[in-house]
Amino acid sequence: MADDKDVLRDVWFGRIPTCFTLNQDEVTEREAEAYYLLLPRVSYLTLVTDKVKKHFLKVMRAEDVEEMWFEYEGTPLKWHYPIGVLFDLHASNSVLPWSITVHFKNFPDQDLLHCPSSSVIEAHFMSSIKEADALKHKSQVVNDMQKKDHKQLWMGLQNDKFDQFWAMNRKLMEYPTEEGGFRYIPFRIYQAMSDRPFIQKLFRPVSPEGNAYTLGDLLKEMYPAAITNDGEQKRYQVVIHGIEPLLETPLQWLSEHLSHPDNFLHICVVPTPSD
Amino acid sequence: MSGCALNEKEFFSCCQLLLQQSEHLRDGWSWEAVQGSEEGYLRKTVLRSVLADCYDAQKQKETASDSVSPVSAHPIQELQQQERTQPVVATRFHSDGIIGNDGDEDDAVCVLSEGSSHVLQYEYHILYSCSYSAPVLYFRAFTLEGRSLTLEDVWSSVHPNFRHCLQNSPLTAITQQEHPLLGQPFFMLHPCRTEEFMRPVLQEAQEQPRPVNYVLLWLSVVGPVVGLDVPLKYCTQLHPSSLQRSASDLMSSTVETGVRRFARKTCK
């Protein structure tokens, strides 16, 4: 379907205009200017910010530079979450550009994973894909792929190559027709005001009677507080890739079209803005 | 138990059973529940001393023998609950996977003296992965001053037989991950191969006419990989004395088989 393929492209090419400012406590030889960048929603902070690092290193001495990390309004940003998820979760209703503070010292190792190289990002990304396939296909599809196929998925993401990525990823989006969908849907529900980082449980896309479950059905089961009852004021927005899909949308369709390249459907539940 | 996968209810029951035994043995496991539901995880904290002097002595003494790499002499001795009335003796990992002291003259057995040791606090969590229908081991370690150990530091507590295998196979390796319930960085032993190596271990165990605790069995295979000891007494102490010997035989042979199979699977 032409329309559905357009959705895949829109998701892949989503961008967030971002302004990177150096933390004012960092020691610099002269004043550091802010750096502006369009960040891909579907990628990871440490994968796309080499230019940011180079920019700020120009005004710093090597001995004042340790592992780079990012923070938004006091919250350290988890590089292992897709960029779009971080934005939707922490800054979805704030004014653009997204203002991120850059740090080179005092890495918060109680909050953030270390990211010493891009191979760590690759391992994390491939691990997510494997886990998603364990849920969708009992790992059969991903295990049937060769090492070079796995590499193609990663290179597609790293080099922003939609066609290269989807040539392989479409195999992970197939299912036996008689099943009506995947075995379980790979999803994570994030809430900003929670100790628990996310909700992830088993959920089938199709009922035993063969009816397609919707986004609303998933939320009713996993996070009922997110659903507004009749007559109530809407307290929460349910955001995927910066939009609020209708709760009637079939979950299987969402999984096939609105998943991130890691094959997970990342769903953010954020408080509705008060104004 | 459905095949070699474990569902969440079974995980919960196995954990409760393990907890009861742990309480009897004072092995230190506790259950941390999530928001008053059945969801939760097993947790244990262990104090471990690292003998810096002994490590250096071993390095100097390095022989050409391949059977024991110098780093494997890095001793690990549990300190919990014990009054040290005698010096702590270094324990060696042997190349055939059996941990123990031996009397060979070649081995340097070091004695812990005050001031030469670093005490580390290891924290182990056992969670359930619904994606892999298996238990998962998470852990982290701190110095007593509160400094977190890095992945490099932690490698030294990995059983030498596995260090090589794990380093070559990223998906069964030890990696830093976000704890799914606490959101903090932990190290994790990847669960994607668990069902694979548990299958033959379970089949062997199930040939005996006795119920099997999946989580305990799994822990006895993966625990030693990251320096977590599972005493044989777990298997014996709830059985009548007449079955004691066969229970511990089963346990040690199952563990040995499991350890070997785990090594084979991860080294593919």
Side-chain angles (χ1 to χ4, degrees), chain A residues 78 80-81 110 114 131 196, chain B residues 39 131 148 176 178 185 190:
Chain A
K78 299 183 181 183
H80 67 284
Y81 285 11
Q110 299 309 304
H114 284 283
E131 186 180 351
R196 190 176 180 152
Chain B
E39 218 184 336
S131 307
S148 316
Q176 209 190 18
E178 179 183 30
H190 206 283

Side-chain angles (χ1 to χ4, degrees), chain A residues 192-219:
Chain A
M193 301 298 133
S194 169
D195 290 331
R196 190 176 180 152
F198 53 80
I199 297 170
Q200 181 185 339
K201 302 213 179 125
L202 296 179
F203 195 86
R204 293 192 191 276
V206 180
S207 75
E209 299 79 37
N211 301 318
Y213 284 127
T214 65
L215 177 59
D217 293 327
L218 175 72
L219 290 166

